Amino acid sequence: METLKIIKIGGNIIDNPIALDNFLIEFSKIEAPKILVHGGGKLATKLAQQMNVKVEMVDGRRITNTETLDIITMVYAGKINKTIVASLQQKSNNAVGFTGADGNTILSVKRPVKEIDYGFAGDIINVDTTVLNTLLNIGVTPVFCAITHDNNGQLLNTNADTIASELAIGFAKKYQTELYYCFEKNGVLLDINNDDSVVENITTKKYEELLAKNIIADGMLPKMNNCFHAINQQVHKVCIGKSEMLYNHNSKFTTIQA
């Protein structure tokens, strides 16, 4: 079975033009079929402040009202996505930019209001790989931003880690899917202040131990939940670490196992 690499990058790469270019140079060299998923970085918040639109965050998650949705659509699906696609074309890596609405690839529902109203935030309910398969078969790289749709004309702000996880699951029957979460740390750390304290392998049992000791907490929890959700849905491999893990075989990173 052919390998498909799904790679998610965050603000530490997106917000730094030099880091982004260096990453895309290495990404373009990956010969296996691949999909890139990117978050929004700090640009949406910066633009909102310039436009005097209040930025509301709860537990690290953005409250997406109508004005905020307009801004993140401009930034995520426009500025960031097309900058990445143009840079990949420069590097002879043919690419196409995507929201979940394009090709009807990712369908979501507006997150139900429980304790907090997140506004136009989307929870994914279906991934359709039909159009993506066609592109991958002719060597084109899909580049996803963190926006999906509800099939009623409404765009929805959707967690990029979750998009990457659900894409990996959606392709798991056709490909041997590998999911890579690139962020600013070397991986899951035993000591947040020591970059060398990487937990190189985490099984379900080990994860429960780390949770009990409060070593994995706060912002790392949703990322780990996405990792284990993917592994438990036949995704072949899930890794977390700096982007160097994609090409530097001596780098330390975390691999998630069932």
Side-chain angles (χ1 to χ4, degrees):
M1 191 181 282
E2 194 173 15
T3 297
L4 169 66
K5 295 180 186 292
I6 296 173
I7 299 163
K8 187 264 174 176
I9 56 173
N12 63 310
I13 294 174
I14 293 165
D15 294 331
N16 182 333
I18 295 170
L20 179 59
D21 192 60
N22 288 337
F23 167 80
L24 292 175
I25 288 169
E26 297 300 333
F27 177 82
S28 65
K29 294 175 185 175
I30 298 172
E31 293 183 2
K34 58 198 174 186
I35 295 174
L36 183 61
V37 180
H38 65 81
K42 296 175 183 174
L43 187 57
T45 300
K46 183 180 177 183
L47 186 59
Q49 290 168 344
Q50 289 172 348
M51 296 172 70
N52 293 319
V53 173
K54 187 180 178 183
V55 176
E56 288 186 84
M57 307 286 284
V58 177
D59 296 331
R61 291 179 180 259
R62 191 185 297 269
I63 304 295
T64 310
N65 59 24
T66 304
E67 286 180 306
T68 303
L69 184 64
D70 286 346
I71 290 169
I72 67 168
T73 301
M74 286 188 283
V75 173
Y76 297 2
K79 173 67 174 173
I80 296 173
N81 190 267
K82 298 314 168 194
T83 297
I84 289 172
V85 169
S87 184
L88 286 172
Q89 303 296 8
Q90 178 207 14
K91 296 165 180 56
S92 301
N93 186 158
N94 198 2
V96 175
F98 272 85
T99 67
D102 297 293
N104 198 26
T105 49
I106 306 177
L107 189 63
S108 294
V109 293
K110 189 170 179 283
R111 184 170 300 155
V113 178
K114 292 178 182 175
E115 294 171 11
I116 300 163
D117 184 353
Y118 285 99
F120 293 103
D123 292 330
I124 297 171
I125 57 171
N126 189 60
V127 172
D128 186 337
T129 62
T130 308
V131 172
L132 300 176
N133 272 319
T134 302
L135 292 173
L136 291 170
N137 287 338
I138 58 171
V140 176
T141 300
V143 179
F144 271 88
C145 69
I147 294 173
T148 60
H149 78 129
D150 69 353
N151 218 26
N152 291 306
Q154 180 64 57
L155 295 173
L156 295 166
N157 182 16
T158 306
N159 182 272
D161 285 353
T162 305
I163 286 176
S165 174
E166 293 296 339
L167 283 169
I169 292 165
F171 278 103
K173 289 180 181 175
K174 183 175 174 61
Y175 288 92
Q176 187 169 278
T177 51
E178 297 180 357
L179 175 59
Y180 296 87
Y181 286 117
C182 302
F183 77 144
E184 67 277 5
K185 299 290 184 183
N186 284 332
V188 177
L189 305 177
L190 283 173
D191 177 358
I192 195 70
N193 298 312
N194 180 2
D195 266 354
D196 291 325
S197 63
V198 179
V199 185
E200 295 191 36
N201 291 284
I202 299 181
T203 60
T204 304
K205 184 181 177 185
K206 181 72 173 177
Y207 181 45
E208 288 169 357
E209 290 173 11
L210 294 171
L211 282 174
K213 293 176 182 176
N214 210 35
I215 289 169
I216 295 177
D218 304 327
M220 201 65 191
L221 286 170
K223 194 179 291 287
M224 293 300 294
N225 288 338
N226 278 311
C227 290
F228 278 100
H229 177 55
I231 282 291
N232 291 329
Q233 298 291 327
Q234 278 68 60
V235 171
H236 179 68
K237 182 178 180 182
V238 182
C239 300
I240 304 175
K242 290 183 178 175
S243 59
E244 287 86 344
M245 67 181 166
L246 296 166
Y247 54 86
N248 182 355
H249 298 299
N250 293 319
S251 64
K252 280 188 174 183
F253 56 90
T254 299
T255 299
I256 309 297
Q257 297 168 316

